[in-house]
Amino acid sequence: MPIRELADLAWEDVRDLDRARTVAVLPVGAIEAHGPHLPLGTDVVIAEAMARAGAARIEAQGRPVALLPPLPFTAAPFGAGFPGTLSIAPATVTAVVLDLARELTRHGFAALAIANAHLDPAHLSALADAVTRAREQRLLPVACPDLSRKPWAPRLTDEFRSGACHAGRFEGSIVLAARPDLVREPARKALAPNPASLSTAIRNGARTFEEAGGPRAYFGWPADATAEEGRASIETLGQILAEAVGEALAVKGAA
């Protein structure tokens, strides 16, 4: 069955859904600098690919899915110094996600799954706050796997685990697989590697890409990206999302 996109449905279609078993999947990204070769909406492209792959796995396990329109604006202070980056307050992100969880609860959906690969610490904290507050308010389960942490991070690529993974091989490969028309190929192939670990720089107190050693808003090995690797990463991301949903529903069932 094709994945249902909520915005394309009529209200009577939603009325007739088995909402008590349906998982709503929300792609969350950012409008943020990703080197000279990838679009500002790279994280949105990745989130949508993750959401679709996860939705396919969830449906294969027997649960209906409703794919929500992506949320493209979030906290992105690390890239705020680059033209085009649109960073909003973390509290705004938390409020939007929490309000959405309230609405989905009101409509009787089984769970909300957040597909996200934007790893700015301010953004991750905002999502974690929304998940915690949804649980405290006894809303529907919210599954939001943090790719920067165990058990999810070790399942991703070597470059991702190195921490040098913003607009590099990992993200570039996914965009090549999902939206190759958006990749500036001459620029990508000409970029030298930047092995500076963004995650290490964050632990050491860096607050911007420039401070972390990324003056052109990229880290890693962008010239080595391949669509084949991107397709494999998308499948892994989808599996992670589906597993996180299963865990969230299991916790609800045990409560």
Side-chain angles (χ1 to χ4, degrees):
M1 179 182 295
I3 295 171
R4 303 168 190 81
E5 298 199 30
L6 188 74
D8 292 344
L9 301 178
W11 73 266
E12 291 183 345
D13 299 326
V14 180
R15 177 197 62 194
D16 296 339
L17 285 178
D18 185 2
R19 281 173 280 157
R21 297 184 62 254
T22 298
V23 176
V25 178
L26 174 68
V28 177
I31 303 301
E32 177 189 58
H34 277 76
H37 59 299
L38 295 179
L40 292 166
T42 288
D43 287 332
V44 180
V45 171
I46 296 172
E48 289 189 294
M50 179 181 182
R52 290 186 178 280
R57 286 183 174 274
I58 294 166
E59 290 214 335
Q61 295 166 1
R63 279 194 173 273
V65 171
L67 187 63
L68 304 180
L71 178 62
F73 303 112
T74 189
F78 261 78
F82 294 87
T85 297
L86 303 176
S87 181
I88 65 175
T92 303
V93 180
T94 298
V96 169
V97 173
L98 192 60
D99 276 351
L100 180 59
R102 290 193 188 100
E103 280 296 278
L104 292 168
T105 302
R106 182 173 70 85
H107 286 298
F109 281 84
L112 169 62
I114 297 176
N116 168 67
H118 176 57
L119 304 183
D120 190 300
H123 169 71
L124 292 177
S125 294
L127 291 182
D129 190 21
V131 172
T132 298
R133 291 170 64 181
R135 183 169 57 248
E136 291 172 348
Q137 295 176 27
R138 299 186 179 277
L139 304 179
L140 83 176
V142 180
C144 183
D146 182 346
L147 299 180
S148 70
R149 298 179 178 273
K150 295 179 180 180
W152 315 121
R155 294 169 58 174
L156 298 171
T157 67
D158 290 343
E159 185 200 72
F160 184 94
R161 294 194 301 273
S162 78
C165 60
H166 181 81
R169 176 171 178 164
F170 174 73
E171 292 190 328
S173 292
I174 294 175
V175 180
L176 279 173
R179 288 294 307 273
D181 55 305
L182 297 179
V183 181
R184 282 72 170 166
E185 278 292 82
R188 180 183 73 82
K189 292 178 178 177
L191 288 174
N194 178 10
S197 173
L198 182 55
S199 57
T200 299
I202 290 171
R203 288 194 296 271
N204 291 337
R207 295 176 179 240
T208 67
F209 289 143
E210 298 94 327
E211 290 180 2
R216 300 186 74 192
Y218 80 89
F219 298 79
W221 290 260
D224 293 342
T226 67
E228 181 180 12
E229 180 178 299
R231 286 188 287 271
S233 290
I234 289 169
E235 286 304 306
T236 300
L237 291 171
Q239 185 174 1
I240 286 171
L241 187 64
E243 289 178 18
V245 168
E247 291 178 7
L249 289 170
V251 169
K252 176 186 177 183

